Amino acid sequence: MNEQVAIITGASRGIGKEVAFQFAKAGLKLSILGSSDEIYQTKAELEKEGYQDVLAFTADVTDENDIDHVVEATKNAYKKVDILINNAGLGAFKPVGDVTVEEWKKTFEVNVQGVFLASKAVLPIMKKQKSGTIVTVASDVSRYTIPEGGSLYTSTKYAVQGFMGSLAQEVRKDGIRVGTINPGMVDTYFANGTQGDPEKKDWLKVEDIADAILYMAKAPKHMVIDEMHLHPLIQDYPRM
Ligand code: NJP
């Protein structure tokens, strides 16, 4: 992994921030982005740990110009892009009747359009290199539905899974590996939560997800890990 270059979306906190730390520890050069200034806190913490190859951007994954700028700046600084981790995402859980059109559009824009835009932006570079890995943090609810207020979030993650599956088939011939990671409940700030909340003590940890993403990214070049499903033992969920 040494000297490989990774772009990580949504690295201000939660899963994306831990992925940034594990990737830095593995010797990767990083471009991290988030829509808030909190992203600079992640950069500062990485630098404090001695990781200096970190570019940080306030960039909104729903904005094509923002994303193109991040990819362009990464390419200019590091001369290549080996890995894209599409991690930025939002969760809103309420009955269908309470979901506004604005919430519907916003969640689709971040969770689906964001994955499309970042993937689209790195593809020309990866195609030219004839190599690259794109991993998207989808969700366990991209493979089954949940009853309690899950319609909006679930439909975005089903869309992501469809996009990634087709993309994988489209770019396989270009030497580009595409996979998704589908976690169950993870202790983060997701859906206005608080990371470290005692009620979530038995949920998956950000380290569990970051470990799995690192494993997917560093798989031997001849191997693609299509999907990984991870759940906390305490979670009850339908088996596929
Ligand atoms: O959530 P959280 P997670 N443009 O809230 C960023 C999926 N997942 O780590 O924009 C760019 O702690 C935001 O940064 P900022 C989930 O769907 C989770 O759990 O600066 N970035 C922050 O860094 C999502 O895809 C669970 O505020 C944007 C990050 O996204 C992924 O895991 C279960 C952005 C969110 O951090 C990471 O979420 C599951 C934008 N427009 C799937 N909007 C779970 N936690 O239980 C947000 O199945 N961000």
Side-chain angles (χ1 to χ4, degrees):
M1 300 300 282
N2 219 15
E3 299 293 306
Q4 289 203 29
V5 175
I7 297 175
I8 306 165
T9 73
S12 302
R13 58 185 170 278
I15 294 168
K17 182 173 182 176
E18 181 60 23
V19 172
F21 271 86
Q22 295 217 12
F23 274 22
K25 220 176 285 176
L28 280 90
K29 298 180 177 184
L30 303 181
S31 258
I32 57 173
L33 66 100
S35 66
S36 73
D37 285 348
E38 221 180 313
I39 197 69
Y40 299 114
Q41 178 65 25
T42 303
K43 177 179 162 72
E45 288 177 33
L46 283 160
E47 286 175 346
K48 206 169 157 211
E49 295 286 316
Y51 304 118
Q52 301 303 327
D53 288 320
V54 183
L55 302 174
F57 302 88
T58 46
D60 186 334
V61 289
T62 70
D63 185 318
E64 190 167 20
N65 291 330
D66 278 10
I67 294 307
D68 286 351
H69 170 69
V70 171
V71 173
E72 182 77 18
T74 305
K75 171 83 187 331
N76 288 342
Y78 299 137
K79 311 297 173 222
K80 58 178 187 161
V81 177
D82 299 298
I83 298 165
L84 167 67
I85 307 299
N86 283 311
N87 165 75
L90 296 179
F93 297 88
K94 40 173 90 168
V96 172
D98 295 341
V99 177
T100 65
V101 172
E102 287 70 31
E103 285 167 330
W104 181 271
K105 284 186 178 165
K106 173 83 180 162
T107 312
F108 263 87
E109 277 177 9
V110 175
N111 291 6
V112 188
Q113 184 174 308
V115 172
F116 154 64
L117 288 177
S119 304
K120 183 182 175 191
V122 299
L123 283 178
I125 299 169
M126 290 183 173
K127 282 184 180 175
K128 212 165 163 199
Q129 294 168 177
K130 298 200 181 315
S131 72
T133 302
I134 302 175
V135 176
T136 295
V137 183
S139 175
D140 57 347
V141 299
S142 64
R143 289 300 187 201
Y144 57 76
T145 55
I146 49 171
E148 299 301 329
S151 56
L152 169 54
Y153 183 68
T154 302
S155 40
T156 65
K157 294 297 185 175
Y158 264 71
V160 164
Q161 198 66 258
F163 173 78
M164 293 297 287
S166 288
L167 179 65
Q169 291 167 297
E170 184 181 309
V171 300
R172 189 171 56 84
K173 63 180 181 318
D174 300 299
I176 302 170
R177 308 184 297 179
V178 172
T180 56
I181 181 144
N182 304 322
M185 301 181 311
V186 191
D187 177 14
T188 67
Y189 299 92
F190 181 69
N192 296 322
T194 308
Q195 194 169 322
D197 185 336
E199 282 183 11
K200 301 197 276 188
K201 71 177 173 41
D202 295 323
W203 291 24
L204 295 172
K205 313 287 173 238
V206 289
E207 292 83 354
D208 301 327
I209 311 302
D211 274 350
I213 291 173
L214 183 61
Y215 180 78
M216 288 174 89
K218 73 178 188 193
K221 286 283 176 246
H222 64 274
M223 177 167 110
V224 55
I225 300 174
D226 305 306
E227 284 184 53
M228 249 199 233
H229 303 268
L230 307 171
H231 287 92
L233 194 54
I234 51 119
Q235 186 175 345
D236 187 18
Y237 57 93
R239 297 301 292 253
M240 285 172 288

